[in-house]
Amino acid sequence: MAESGRWSVPEMGGILSNKIPKDDLKPGDHIYSWRNAYLYAHHGIYVGDGMVIHFTRAAGQEIGTGTVLDRFIFSSSPSHPSDSPCPRCGDQSRTEGVISSCLECFLSGGELYLFQYGVSPALFIAKTRGGTCTLAPSDPPEHVLHRAKFLLQNGFGAYNIFKNNCEDFAIYCKTGLLVFTNISVGRSGQASSFLAATTAIVSSPLRFLTTGVSGLAVVGYGVYCISRYVSDIGVRRDVMKIPVERLIPCPDLPESEPAATTTDTSKEKGS
């Protein structure tokens, strides 16, 4: 936001949509595409030459709950049938982990969006849907590409919808930040929004703050916004800047406390 308190042109446009044309993509961009009628988004890092590195589960396991919900949220793996695979990527319908796909396979017929970094608090709150922006600044593209390509070769641990999903992967590539406390949510804005909405709905103190329906809605929205804000990677204090090479000793637990304490770069958040 401009110093005068008015929205800048880029921020005004960013409230409505982060959609970008493919020709505007640059190596190191964090991109995403909505799935299942905007139910969730799949995230990745554009590395140039029409290719994207992203973190996924195998077909039918995108949210990784092991429940019936997996049947309703389809895989973010490229959706070409095995009998007619993509000529550039091959058959990736059953692949999982950190993979490289062409942009068309990554999008799977969806629109292309650019994740925003270093946004103002006002814009962050205005973007009521999580998983589209963060207050944290991005590192230079060369650092982003190094992390993405390194993890393509070495993996990013086990997929977890709340602690280690595709958005967590992309945010780590962009910032190098990992959560070092053993809590229920990682860096993902989508997961934070889900938990924030749950908190706003079930929070028992709400009934003591207002009696009207409209008042309850306002208070509930306030709780939702505050919960989202304090969970953002750009403001929380339980994060450390971890070199990507340090993840290899504990590849299945990239956010574990032992791995985090092996570095002396804590809280290097680029401020």
Side-chain angles (χ1 to χ4, degrees):
M1 184 179 292
E3 292 183 2
S4 63
R6 294 178 296 181
W7 293 105
S8 66
V9 173
E11 286 194 325
M12 290 179 66
I15 294 177
L16 300 176
S17 175
N18 291 354
K19 187 184 298 186
I20 61 168
K22 295 178 182 178
D23 291 343
D24 288 352
L25 278 178
K26 301 179 181 63
D29 280 348
H30 173 174
I31 60 176
Y32 63 96
S33 181
W34 293 103
R35 302 283 201 267
N36 256 25
Y38 294 89
L39 184 60
Y40 75 104
H42 184 54
H43 297 248
I45 299 295
Y46 181 71
V47 295
D49 194 28
M51 300 299 292
V52 182
I53 295 177
H54 54 121
F55 185 45
T56 183
R57 290 181 63 88
Q61 304 177 56
E62 170 58 22
I63 62 172
T65 64
T67 69
V68 70
L69 291 176
D70 290 330
R71 299 181 182 180
F72 295 98
I73 300 185
F74 301 116
S75 174
S76 55
S77 295
S79 56
H80 289 277
S82 58
D83 58 348
S84 58
C86 171
R88 189 171 187 183
C89 304
D91 180 14
Q92 294 186 319
S93 61
R94 297 183 180 275
T95 55
E96 60 181 328
V98 182
I99 65 174
S100 177
S101 305
C102 70
L103 184 59
E104 287 69 26
C105 285
F106 172 83
L107 294 174
S108 293
E111 300 286 351
L112 174 64
Y113 296 85
L114 179 68
F115 194 96
Q116 295 177 303
Y117 284 82
V119 302
S120 68
L123 177 59
F124 182 84
I125 295 299
K127 300 279 286 188
T128 55
R129 184 70 183 267
T132 62
C133 62
T134 178
L135 291 90
S138 170
D139 286 336
E142 57 269 22
H143 295 176
V144 179
L145 294 172
H146 170 68
R147 293 181 188 123
K149 293 176 181 179
F150 185 91
L151 295 174
L152 176 63
Q153 298 299 321
N154 296 280
F156 193 60
Y159 186 100
N160 183 291
I161 184 175
F162 290 117
K163 293 185 178 182
N164 203 46
N165 58 36
C166 60
E167 185 184 347
D168 290 313
F169 167 79
I171 289 176
Y172 172 72
C173 290
K174 290 287 286 187
T175 66
L177 297 174
L178 290 178
V179 177
F180 64 84
T181 52
N182 187 23
I183 61 175
S184 60
V185 64
R187 303 164 300 281
S188 169
Q190 294 184 96
S192 297
S193 290
F194 173 79
L195 294 178
T198 302
T199 300
I201 292 172
V202 305
S203 179
S204 59
L206 291 180
R207 66 177 184 270
F208 300 112
L209 299 177
T210 183
T211 57
V213 174
S214 60
L216 182 62
V218 170
V219 173
Y221 180 70
V223 171
Y224 171 76
C225 290
I226 292 173
S227 298
R228 276 189 60 229
Y229 183 84
V230 299
S231 297
D232 184 71
I233 194 73
V235 299
R236 56 195 292 175
R237 292 291 179 261
D238 57 345
V239 296
M240 286 185 175
K241 193 122 182 175
I242 309 294
V244 68
E245 292 80 6
R246 297 285 184 92
L247 301 185
I248 299 307
C250 297
D252 291 330
L253 296 171
E255 295 177 358
S256 64
E257 191 168 352
T261 56
T262 59
T263 180
D264 58 0
T265 56
S266 65
K267 297 182 182 178
E268 293 179 8
K269 303 171 76 170
S271 58

